[in-house]
Amino acid sequence: MSKSFLLVGGSSDIARHLATMLLDDGHHVTLLARDGERVSDLVGRGAHLVEGDALDEAIVQAAVGHAAGLTENGLAGMAHLVGSIALRPPHATKLEDFEAVIQTNLISAFLALKTAGKAMLKSGTGRMVFTSSVAGSYGLTNHEAIAAAKGGIEAMVRAAASTYAGRGLRVNAVAPGLTETRLGATVLRSDAIREASVSMIPLKRINEPDEVATSMHWLLTGAPDNLTGQVLHLDGGMSALRG
């Protein structure tokens, strides 16, 4: 049966892979994205585009309303894939830069949770997946801003999973390590940094974006109904293993 899914941050590398998987399944896909040109191929395949900022409440409401109206059963799932990163020690971080990381990552995630959750409550079912980071649970040098934002997302996911457990909603997150994306490239800006980063990962390699997308696809469509409040650590063992 065809279902309706909303991807907030729909022009990201991982979102593009996820949208392709959902379209291949025959589902309706709505993309909330600032860069409409970057998803023109997906729109050509049948994806719906709502162009705008994920921090604009009216835009988010419009995207949720559009996705919910595509099927009789409303919005089946939402994935939040908005992200940014700023790697500086606290003493060298401007307050406005810290606030921008919190706004982009955490505030937009809460807005997506609030708006999509309200729509899903009408049908009594739905799945939401949020994007955290290895920095949310693993102490990394100069990651204070992103650690605060992603740690907040993980705590929010657990609380929301509890809030909506009895009302048919499932809320989970993925926490990738470094991934071969446009955002990841801002960190992996030299061979020396790439080598040092890989050396910290037990599996000795960096994520591919389709691996993260596949995990999110599973949480949205194939995960058992009793899986909620969980964070999947897609970091090559970095946050859990020593070796």
Side-chain angles (χ1 to χ4, degrees), residues 8-222:
V8 179
S11 62
S12 74
D13 292 336
I14 295 169
R16 286 179 49 78
H17 283 279
L18 178 56
T20 299
M21 294 174 189
L22 292 168
L23 288 169
D24 286 345
D25 291 340
H27 295 306
H28 299 281
V29 177
T30 300
L31 305 170
L32 171 52
R34 289 189 299 182
D35 188 353
E37 290 187 7
R38 195 162 190 270
V39 296
S40 59
D41 57 327
L42 295 171
V43 173
R45 288 198 54 195
H48 301 256
L49 173 64
V50 176
E51 197 162 0
D53 197 310
L55 282 166
D56 185 326
E57 187 165 8
I59 292 292
V60 176
Q61 289 173 343
V64 169
H66 179 85
L70 292 175
T71 69
E72 291 183 1
N73 295 321
L75 181 62
M78 184 278 296
H80 180 268
L81 302 110
V82 179
S84 68
I85 193 167
L87 303 183
R88 298 183 190 89
H91 65 271
T93 300
K94 295 180 180 178
L95 183 58
E96 55 263 37
D97 292 337
F98 178 85
E99 290 174 335
V101 172
I102 297 296
Q103 286 277 336
T104 299
N105 292 272
L106 181 56
I107 303 302
S108 71
F110 176 77
L111 182 55
L113 168 69
K114 164 190 170 76
T115 312
K118 185 175 181 179
M120 290 175 181
L121 286 174
K122 294 179 180 179
S123 61
T125 186
R127 297 184 176 197
M128 291 184 273
V129 182
F130 294 85
T131 310
S132 180
S133 160
V134 64
S137 59
Y138 185 82
L140 291 171
T141 303
N142 296 334
H143 281 63
E144 286 79 6
I146 194 65
K150 296 303 192 181
I153 286 176
E154 292 188 11
M156 183 188 76
V157 162
R158 288 188 290 270
S162 177
T163 299
Y164 297 119
R167 304 191 69 178
L169 277 58
R170 305 294 177 258
V171 188
N172 294 289
V174 296
L178 272 172
T179 305
E180 297 283 6
T181 62
R182 292 182 299 166
L183 188 59
T186 65
V187 179
L188 301 169
R189 56 187 179 274
S190 72
D191 290 341
I193 293 175
R194 178 179 288 270
E195 184 177 342
S197 299
V198 169
S199 71
M200 297 172 63
I201 304 169
L203 289 183
K204 304 304 179 191
R205 71 174 182 83
I206 293 170
N207 288 339
E208 294 297 331
D210 65 298
E211 295 176 310
V212 183
T214 297
S215 300
M216 300 184 86
H217 176 267
W218 178 72
L219 287 170
L220 287 172
T221 64

